[in-house]
Amino acid sequence: MTPDPAAVLSIRNLSKLYKDFIALDRINLDVRRGEKVVVLGPSGSGKSTLIRCLNRIEPHDSGSLHINGQAITARTDLIRLRALVGLVFQNYNLFPHLSVLDNCTLAPRLVRRMPRAQAEALAMRFLQQVNIAGQARKYPIQLSGGQQQRVAIARALCMQPEIMLFDEPTAALDPEAVSGVATIMNDLAAQGITMLCVTHEMRFARHVADLIVFMDQGRIMEITPPEQFFTNPQTQRAQDFLNQMIG
Amino acid sequence: MTPVMARLRCLRAMRIVVVGLAAMLAGAGMARADAQPPLPGFIHDSALTVCTNPTLPPMTFVNGTDMQAVDGIDMDLAHALAAYWHVTLAVTTMDFTGLFPSLAAGRCGVVASGIIELPQRERNFDAVAYQDTALVIVARAGTRPLSSMADLSGRKVAVQAGTSYSARLAQENEALVATGHAPMLIAQYPTEEEVVQQVLIGRAFALASQDVELAYRREQLHGKVGVIFTPPYPEYRHFALYIRKNAQDRALLEQAIATLRENGQMAAIEKKWAITSDAAQALGASAPASAFRWSTFFGALTSAAFMRGAFITLAVAVLSHLTAIALSIPLALVLNGRDSMLRTGIKLYVALFRGAPTLLQLLFIWNALPQFLPFFREAWFTPFLATWLALSINESAYQVEINRAALTAIDPAQALAGNALGLSRGQVYRHVIFPQALRIALPPTINAFITLLKTTSLASVISVQELLAVTQIQVARTFEFTEYYAAALVYYLAMVFFFLLVQKRVERRFAWADQYRAGTHDS
């Protein structure tokens, strides 16, 4: 199988092992520019591992991964790759010793060698977009979980990536905060950025996703549009999962 | 570097003085220079190097507040010998226990430090006698004189560590035990004035010392002590200069002393330092009791000697700790990494230097290292450098553990977040991990530094004139324990409080870690 030339992201037979445990088992997936993909599946199904392989925070063991037609291997310039692919973590992982603004400007200044004033202007634009510009001078410890996650999204956006990866961005948040973060993700999706999102946020999956990828035991069980997935899943495993999530 | 430079400058200044003195003596016709006498092998580059522990007046001591100005019979003799050979004189002061190792290591040509001529010492070194003396047993004034050494049975006797007195008293003890008596309790103290102090405060019944010293001390002691017995030891009769074993050098040194005796120079020195017992009695009568002398205390506090001592203490501590931190960061990173040969090596390094006593490490680097690495015998390897080296290595072993703990405390997700943003490994450490680890490492690091600041006092053993060495030398000169100790305490406390203040100021910058204080940080 060759990579799809129209796909911004093309995954072929991608596998990842942790010693004897098969975390990812021959994954195949193509994502087109602007597409929103939501990855669903029970805990331990390999969703997060898949997301992390895409910007090589976790290197894969076999198979191939192409981004913008370029193969991602051990020889890839990781700094350029990561400028292309942003990642938002479940636990935000903000830098506690830096203010909100400095969290956002650190990477543009160090990696893109942007002057401080320009980096701060850029950061303020994205902080406004996530409705947190008023807290720019505060430290992460002074913010609520939802606020911190919004800062983390702004921080990733400051590198102006073409693809945004979200690794359960709302899993650590209380329900009220979830809707704030989900709103921002809706906005981002509307702006046309390519998104891959691991989430349990079913409303987001149903209304925003172009494609649902359902995973179990390191394998992709089905790739379907959300309407079909939620109303008529193809596998029994997906059916069980949905019953548990909704029931 | 500054103290080293200052030291060098002082030595140079001292040499110039010596040259002038030599010229003066020659001008006075005392050397009657018919021909240049042949030079012994221990003179290098036209310089006679003498090691001494200046805490034994009147033989060798610091007679004033200038720590570089060693005075006494031994020093006058050293000057006369340098003039006799037409060479310059360089004097190095150090702890008594360091004298013979330094002589063996070739750091000095001659040891002149009021040391008794003894057959045991002559097994390893050559001795040349220059001054008659006798061993005396001294106790507080009013103590009834002894009729024999057996009267000391069961009593506590203080002696200076590193001297031969304790061995001689041990011999006496064997005789006591053999005849069914209780032995003497021999207590050893590092300096002669501490020995005397034990008798003055009544902790020891008597002390063993030399009559020459005691005659001089009586002035300082205001007649508070007296000789209670002079044991008939034939071997304790002479002070001697010590050199490395060399028959020819020994003959030349004997010749030199004989010449000084013939031309009256020895007699002049003896006369200069001899103190009659009448004079001592007169002083004793006018002596004030043991009240705290504020003038001595403030004098010490504002003296150049104490300031210089405190500066050296601070310089040794700061330089050593900075070096230790620089060493320990890469070491900690390797220790926190994967298993490797290097990691095992560093574990051994940490175990070795945390395990061995700091004093032992210092003595090893100063005295033992030059024996198998001649490189360290050269003049550039000063006591200051040796201390810097020893304390840096020692401290780095402790600092590694502090750094390792601080690095381990940082959530690995922080590095992951940095990587995900495209930061390089170096940038992640520099901008993400180190600033957070610093907050955790700072309090134990300042703690370790304060400990190090006080550990520097060990350097007095290898002749670094740091604060405690200065204090002890001043005490040896004046016997005013309380005043000089108090002055040293003030200096140490001032330095420690300063660094605690620095810690507080730096910690204020870590407000980001505190939810309540973070808000006030940037307003």
Side-chain angles (χ1 to χ4, degrees), chain A residues 82 94-97 137 142, chain B residues 414 419 431 436 512 519 522:
Chain A
R82 285 162 189 170
L94 293 180
F95 305 131
H97 61 296
R137 300 278 165 196
Q142 296 170 275
Chain B
Q414 286 288 309
N419 286 334
H431 295 280
Q436 297 183 54
W512 51 262
D522 51 12

Side-chain angles (χ1 to χ4, degrees), chain B residues 161-423:
Chain B
T163 62
S164 60
Y165 306 148
S166 64
R168 191 65 189 81
L169 293 182
Q171 236 178 303
E172 207 62 63
N173 268 348
E174 282 173 24
L176 282 173
V177 173
T179 54
H181 292 87
M184 295 175 271
L185 304 166
I186 302 165
Q188 301 195 46
Y189 290 88
T191 60
E192 185 66 22
E193 75 277 5
E194 281 175 272
V195 169
V196 177
Q197 178 74 345
Q198 303 316 308
V199 170
L200 286 180
I201 61 184
R203 196 177 286 143
F205 172 73
L207 63 92
S209 188
Q210 295 295 320
D211 58 350
V212 175
E213 191 207 351
L214 196 82
Y216 183 85
R217 287 278 193 205
R218 240 184 254 162
E219 181 186 0
Q220 300 172 318
L221 297 171
H222 313 301
K224 281 188 254 181
V225 294
V227 175
I228 54 168
F229 190 60
T230 305
Y233 295 154
E235 69 271 36
Y236 280 81
R237 286 289 156 79
H238 307 284
F239 285 120
L241 300 176
Y242 282 86
I243 56 173
R244 284 181 295 281
K245 265 210 176 303
N246 184 317
Q248 198 190 337
D249 284 356
R250 187 197 158 114
L252 289 171
L253 185 56
E254 278 171 349
Q255 174 60 42
I257 291 188
T259 306
L260 296 178
R261 212 174 281 291
E262 276 166 35
N263 67 20
Q265 283 196 67
M266 282 306 290
I269 293 170
E270 280 163 21
K271 191 171 170 219
K272 175 180 167 192
W273 293 103
I275 291 166
T276 65
S277 52
D278 290 351
Q281 291 304 316
L283 272 164
S286 65
S290 50
F292 190 85
R293 292 196 199 172
W294 288 97
S295 59
T296 305
F297 170 72
F298 285 115
L301 217 50
T302 53
S303 70
F306 265 69
M307 283 181 200
R308 194 162 171 280
F311 177 74
I312 290 176
T313 290
L314 201 59
V316 168
V318 169
L319 286 175
S320 301
H321 207 170
L322 287 179
T323 312
I325 290 170
L327 280 173
S328 64
I329 292 174
L331 294 185
L333 290 176
V334 176
L335 270 186
N336 270 0
R338 261 168 296 176
D339 246 328
S340 66
M341 287 282 283
L342 186 62
R343 187 159 168 261
T344 312
I346 290 171
K347 273 186 183 168
L348 282 173
Y349 171 94
V350 172
L352 177 66
F353 290 104
R354 274 210 307 181
T358 314
L359 181 58
L360 185 65
Q361 292 174 38
L362 191 63
L363 290 172
F364 191 89
I365 283 174
W366 179 243
N367 290 327
L369 214 54
Q371 275 187 13
F372 47 91
L373 291 173
F375 179 63
F376 288 105
R377 236 175 269 173
E378 291 163 31
W380 63 266
F381 194 61
T382 58
F384 185 89
L385 277 182
T387 309
W388 183 0
L389 179 66
L391 294 184
S392 296
I393 292 173
N394 181 243
E395 190 64 22
S396 72
Y398 290 100
Q399 190 68 37
V400 154
E401 289 299 311
I402 294 176
N403 294 357
R404 212 174 54 77
L407 288 172
T408 312
I410 307 302
D411 184 357
Q414 286 288 309
L416 212 58
N419 286 334
L421 286 168
L423 268 55

Side-chain angles (χ1 to χ4, degrees), chain A residues 52 55 57 78-79 82-83 85-87 89 92-99 103 106-107 110-111 113 137-139 141-143 155-156 159, chain B residues 411 413-424 427-428 430-433 435-436 509 511-522:
Chain A
R52 286 169 181 224
N55 71 347
I57 290 281
L78 292 178
I79 289 166
R82 285 162 189 170
V85 183
L87 173 61
F89 297 88
Y92 345 124
N93 296 346
L94 293 180
F95 305 131
H97 61 296
L98 297 179
S99 69
N103 259 279
L106 185 70
L110 292 178
V111 181
R113 308 205 171 280
R137 300 278 165 196
K138 287 195 175 168
Y139 283 96
I141 201 167
Q142 296 170 275
L143 305 183
R155 180 174 73 173
M159 287 302 281
Chain B
D411 184 357
Q414 286 288 309
L416 212 58
N419 286 334
L421 286 168
L423 268 55
S424 67
Q427 287 171 330
V428 166
R430 162 86 180 73
H431 295 280
V432 178
I433 298 184
Q436 297 183 54
R509 295 192 51 189
W512 51 262
D514 184 327
Q515 195 167 1
Y516 301 101
R517 280 166 56 213
T520 59
H521 176 76
D522 51 12

